[in-house]
Amino acid sequence: MPGVEIVALHTSPRHAYEGRPAEGPRPDPEGGARDHVVIRAGHGAVGDRYAGRPAHREAAVTVIAVEALEHVAAVLGLPAVPDPLLTRRTIVLRGADVDGLARTRDRPGAVFTLDSGDGPVRLRAHRPASPCAWMETVLGTGAFRALWGRGGVRCEPLTDGVLRVGPARLETGTGR
């Protein structure tokens, strides 16, 4: 089981990126940064806007690699790597090929587990979490293109558990 790092965790009961990107995001009074998230099978991250929504059953938890944001910073010539919470992905990992987990047309996505010390949480990767026009507003002009193919993956939670910021273990191919 290779070691990875959970760099950031995000949940929010409301959408911040609605309307026109030129108008800017809505404020999120609760913020979104979490030191841990509770994941429920078939539900999502407790307290998140996508949790328990039938239309998001296979996309209730989103995962992105911080390396994607490092790529954005390099391509755009930014002085620092953008705050990973601006992507509003549930889990931000370092050290994993997150985008490689997504399904392709001829096969389902990978089933994988993340364990940050409270036991494994099993997820099934489904479709890519493609970037949206909001990335241009919150990360910088050109971010949409720089994130294309690196926007992360939308996942279905298969087991209950807790994930925490910090060192973690990632295992792929952990069953159907």
Side-chain angles (χ1 to χ4, degrees), residues 17-37:
Y17 300 161
E18 288 184 321
R20 294 185 174 119
E23 296 170 1
R26 290 189 334 189
D28 188 347
E30 297 180 30
R34 305 287 181 250
D35 63 353
H36 73 282
V37 294

Side-chain angles (χ1 to χ4, degrees), residues 56-116:
H56 294 281
R57 189 172 56 83
E58 293 184 349
V61 173
T62 52
V63 184
I64 191 170
V66 75
E67 290 86 353
L69 295 170
E70 292 168 347
H71 174 77
V72 168
V75 167
L76 302 184
L78 301 176
V81 175
D83 180 351
L85 295 174
L86 292 173
T87 64
R88 296 184 65 84
R89 302 297 193 251
T90 315
I91 303 166
V92 182
L93 290 180
R94 175 179 298 286
D97 178 15
V98 170
D99 296 291
L101 297 171
R103 72 176 179 190
T104 62
R105 287 190 174 116
D106 61 340
R107 66 174 170 77
V111 173
F112 64 100
T113 60
L114 277 172
D115 186 343
S116 60

Side-chain angles (χ1 to χ4, degrees), residues 121-165:
V121 174
R122 195 161 52 116
L123 303 162
R124 176 183 296 284
H126 285 283
R127 65 187 186 278
S130 298
C132 65
W134 279 99
M135 296 304 102
E136 295 285 304
T137 301
V138 298
L139 301 179
T141 302
F144 177 86
R145 181 174 282 212
L147 275 176
W148 195 256
R150 294 179 169 87
V153 65
R154 299 180 187 282
C155 300
E156 171 187 6
L158 301 175
T159 60
D160 294 350
V162 175
L163 294 173
R164 298 182 186 281
V165 170

Side-chain angles (χ1 to χ4, degrees), residues 10-18 25-32 34 47-50 53 88:
H10 178 277
T11 63
S12 177
R14 54 186 291 187
H15 294 276
Y17 300 161
E18 288 184 321
R26 290 189 334 189
D28 188 347
E30 297 180 30
R34 305 287 181 250
D48 193 63
R49 64 206 174 279
Y50 295 116
R53 306 239 183 214
R88 296 184 65 84

